[in-house]
mmCIF file of all heavy atoms in Angstrom:
data_model
loop_
_atom_site.group_PDB
_atom_site.id
_atom_site.type_symbol
_atom_site.label_atom_id
_atom_site.label_comp_id
_atom_site.label_asym_id
_atom_site.label_seq_id
_atom_site.Cartn_x
_atom_site.Cartn_y
_atom_site.Cartn_z
ATOM 1 N N ARG A 113 -174.161 -73.170 -91.818
ATOM 2 C CA ARG A 113 -172.868 -72.827 -92.382
ATOM 3 C C ARG A 113 -171.797 -73.811 -91.945
ATOM 4 O O ARG A 113 -170.924 -74.217 -92.708
ATOM 5 C CB ARG A 113 -172.458 -71.395 -91.955
ATOM 6 C CG ARG A 113 -173.439 -70.301 -92.398
ATOM 7 C CD ARG A 113 -173.192 -69.837 -93.837
ATOM 8 N NE ARG A 113 -171.988 -69.058 -93.941
ATOM 9 C CZ ARG A 113 -171.873 -67.774 -93.686
ATOM 10 N NH1 ARG A 113 -172.950 -67.099 -93.213
ATOM 11 N NH2 ARG A 113 -170.772 -67.100 -93.887
ATOM 12 N N ILE A 166 -153.208 -72.194 -82.093
ATOM 13 C CA ILE A 166 -152.061 -71.319 -82.176
ATOM 14 C C ILE A 166 -152.301 -70.137 -81.249
ATOM 15 O O ILE A 166 -153.277 -69.424 -81.385
ATOM 16 C CB ILE A 166 -151.844 -70.808 -83.607
ATOM 17 C CG1 ILE A 166 -151.396 -71.947 -84.521
ATOM 18 C CG2 ILE A 166 -150.745 -69.720 -83.631
ATOM 19 C CD1 ILE A 166 -152.525 -72.692 -85.169
ATOM 20 N N TYR A 197 -156.386 -76.195 -87.673
ATOM 21 C CA TYR A 197 -155.482 -75.210 -87.033
ATOM 22 C C TYR A 197 -156.289 -73.955 -86.684
ATOM 23 O O TYR A 197 -156.855 -73.311 -87.546
ATOM 24 C CB TYR A 197 -154.320 -74.912 -87.955
ATOM 25 C CG TYR A 197 -153.354 -76.015 -88.058
ATOM 26 C CD1 TYR A 197 -153.598 -77.089 -88.896
ATOM 27 C CD2 TYR A 197 -152.203 -76.080 -87.283
ATOM 28 C CE1 TYR A 197 -152.759 -78.172 -89.015
ATOM 29 C CE2 TYR A 197 -151.297 -77.144 -87.379
ATOM 30 C CZ TYR A 197 -151.585 -78.211 -88.232
ATOM 31 O OH TYR A 197 -150.722 -79.261 -88.324
ATOM 32 N N PHE A 202 -157.291 -63.658 -83.306
ATOM 33 C CA PHE A 202 -156.589 -63.359 -84.548
ATOM 34 C C PHE A 202 -156.296 -61.870 -84.758
ATOM 35 O O PHE A 202 -155.363 -61.491 -85.445
ATOM 36 C CB PHE A 202 -157.379 -63.928 -85.734
ATOM 37 C CG PHE A 202 -156.732 -63.755 -87.038
ATOM 38 C CD1 PHE A 202 -155.570 -64.427 -87.337
ATOM 39 C CD2 PHE A 202 -157.280 -62.928 -88.012
ATOM 40 C CE1 PHE A 202 -154.908 -64.294 -88.554
ATOM 41 C CE2 PHE A 202 -156.651 -62.764 -89.249
ATOM 42 C CZ PHE A 202 -155.455 -63.446 -89.509
ATOM 43 N N SER A 224 -146.953 -61.422 -93.870
ATOM 44 C CA SER A 224 -146.500 -62.860 -93.979
ATOM 45 C C SER A 224 -147.703 -63.786 -93.913
ATOM 46 O O SER A 224 -147.803 -64.713 -94.722
ATOM 47 C CB SER A 224 -145.539 -63.177 -92.855
ATOM 48 O OG SER A 224 -144.370 -62.431 -92.931
ATOM 49 N N ASP A 289 -189.608 -67.096 -68.201
ATOM 50 C CA ASP A 289 -189.528 -66.165 -67.116
ATOM 51 C C ASP A 289 -188.088 -65.766 -66.825
ATOM 52 O O ASP A 289 -187.826 -64.758 -66.190
ATOM 53 C CB ASP A 289 -190.142 -66.761 -65.834
ATOM 54 C CG ASP A 289 -191.662 -66.998 -65.972
ATOM 55 O OD1 ASP A 289 -192.267 -66.390 -66.879
ATOM 56 O OD2 ASP A 289 -192.198 -67.781 -65.183
ATOM 57 N N SER A 298 -173.615 -63.983 -72.774
ATOM 58 C CA SER A 298 -173.159 -64.877 -73.864
ATOM 59 C C SER A 298 -173.613 -66.313 -73.570
ATOM 60 O O SER A 298 -174.098 -66.657 -72.472
ATOM 61 C CB SER A 298 -171.635 -64.870 -73.954
ATOM 62 O OG SER A 298 -171.063 -65.475 -72.835
#
Side-chain angles (χ1 to χ4, degrees):
R113 300 277 288 277
I166 293 88
Y197 289 81
F202 183 66
S224 296
D289 294 342
S298 69

